[in-house]
Amino acid sequence: MALSVGEGAAGGGGGGGSRLRRQLESGSYAAEEYVKQLSQQSDGDRDLQEHRQRIQALSEETAQSLKRNVYQNYRQFIETAREISYLESEMYQLSHILTEQKGIMEAVTQALLQQASAADRDDPALGGARRAAADPHTNPFLALSAKDNAASDEGRQRTLTTLLEKVEGCRDLLPESPGKYLVYNGDLVEYDADHMVQVQRVHAFLMNDCLLVAAWLPNRRGAYRYDALYPLDGLAVVNVKDNPPMKDMFKLLMFPESRIFQAENAKIKKEWLEVLEETKRNRVLSEKRRLEQEAPVRAPPPSPPEATNPFEEEDEEEATPEEEVVDLSLEWIQELPEDLDVCIAQRDFEGAVDLLDKLNEYLGDKPVTQPVRELRTKVDERVRQLTDVLVFELSPDRSLRGGPRATRRAVSQLIRLGQSTKACELFLRNREAAVHTAIRQLRIEGATLLYIHKLCHVFFTSLLETAREFETDFAGNSGCYSAFVVWARSAMRMFVDAFSKQVFDSKESLSTAAECVKVAKEHCKQLSEIGLDLTFIIHTLLVKDIKGALQSYKDIIMEATKHRNSEEMWRRMNLMTPEALGKLREEMKSCGVTNFDQYTGDDCWVNLSYTVVAFTKQTMTFLEEALKLYFPELHMVLLESLVEIILVAIQHVDYSLRCEQDPEKKAFIRQNASFLHEIVLPVVEKRFEEGVGKPAKQLQDLRNTSKPPLYVYEQ
């Protein structure tokens, strides 16, 4: 269709463009053959470039033509939809006018019958002849329609009796009366009004004064069980717009409840709506005629004495004020329900809410009359449809791309509709699903620290964006902020689950775990930009895993120390090369032992045992990594772990001093004990106090109590 627009392509001339278009439009066109032929006929790269430009120009021209046609068709579609809605409204008005005319004709007929009955009372002979002539059994020449009407009344009465015999439990609730007859009946499916799920199959019996709903009995074909009985006086019928797969539905309103039923098809639904409205109208007319017939029988009230009070007329007017009439004949009000349907169908949510605000502003100071109630009923149904669409826009089933800003449109309109709580709940649920999806889509890398960097970036960036968008959307709803804090805690728990599974469950080293926790804390501090501090939450959620990691690493150090102690020969270390000695000096300096040179000898010898040197490096490494993980809840765990590790070394030295008999080895053991007591323990105390911020009394007591046993053999 679009290729036929225009006669020439830009850059290729009118004739060349037309030939090219015809060639591309031909049914025998084959792309491979066309390119092959073009390559053979071209003199060089320049010809191919020119041909490519002609094809590109033709493609752009075709695209522009398609856009114009699509836009034109779209506008025609919108205009057609609006015309159809106008036509539907006019058809409904015409149907109501015809129904009113029918009611008037029935009222006139009833009035004529009343006049005839009054004439019969005045002239009994004439009345008897008229009744005999009207009897279908005694008068064979009676008109066929009259016989049919009489037979129809008897048939409807018999049909009602037959059908009600199939309904269990309604005989006592629905006593037989001469004027009661069946108007309409049929099968329906009931749906839950809140969740729109199927509840049960029912059979409805519409009588001239009430509606009986009976449930199907699954084990008995054609039998029903009484469910509910509704008088027509307090029953309202509302049409439910089709919203696939929910279609062919209508709602029955019975204060304070409502029920939704689905018909078999659109035709049956229309019949139910029409016959319910008509039966209700006939019921009102018959009740009005009955009251008019009873009115002459009643004695007229005594006429009040002639009033002499000049203010009596004003008092009477004040006692019975006339109801103020609300002008609902404005064109925009008449078209409001249809305009709302169009806005919802076109996803123009702002336009729909603007119309509702305009209506509320117009009716704000107006009295609530019956026409206003009817209009409100129609509008409330559209408000519910609009709310359902906005809720669906925020559901996690929708695309989660676009970030938090993608939800702003639906959230803002829900807030304008007075649904702030629901908007807050749906917004946070949507963001929770988005964060969960982002975390789940992260690829687990080989290096744990690299994965944790990505995890923290994705999670805390999403949390920060969500917080800023929440602050923008719910700026005027301070009551929703507590819900955000609760949601943030829940999201943090989801993050910690993924974090712990990768860091602690995989048994990473304490140094790796410390680096990962440090990264998480640094990202958590970003939230302080918006006044949200979740550091205490991440501490609370991680404390169990960190305790387990510290205790596990403590057990590893103690087992390694005990293993080295079991093989201890109490010999000096020979590092063999100056490079190795220099490296050990640097390691001890990084551990905080600055005066290590006094324990080094000539020719790369160290006047300490390998066990004591290894213990010192391992203990200081444990302390440094543990301080990276430190927060107040871990104070006692860290302190007790340090005391247990140091006690293993002190007890081993003490035992060796007691058991060793060689004087030279005993002197060497005392030298190692002096290193532990005077160098290592003070460094541990100092570093612990720097990292924690307060001294550790347990470490001081350990150093004081360990001194006597270490030097008891110096004498």
Side-chain angles (χ1 to χ4, degrees), residues 167-187:
V167 181
E168 295 182 356
C170 75
R171 180 61 62 185
D172 298 333
L173 297 172
L174 196 67
E176 295 185 5
S177 61
K180 188 184 296 294
Y181 58 87
L182 183 68
V183 178
Y184 195 79
N185 73 99
D187 293 332

Side-chain angles (χ1 to χ4, degrees), residues 45 84 179 251 272 504 525 536 559 581 648 657 660 663 667:
D45 181 65
I84 290 174
K251 180 187 291 187
W272 270 108
F504 296 107
K525 291 179 181 178
F536 71 98
E559 288 297 325
L581 181 60
V648 172
L657 280 173
E660 186 60 53

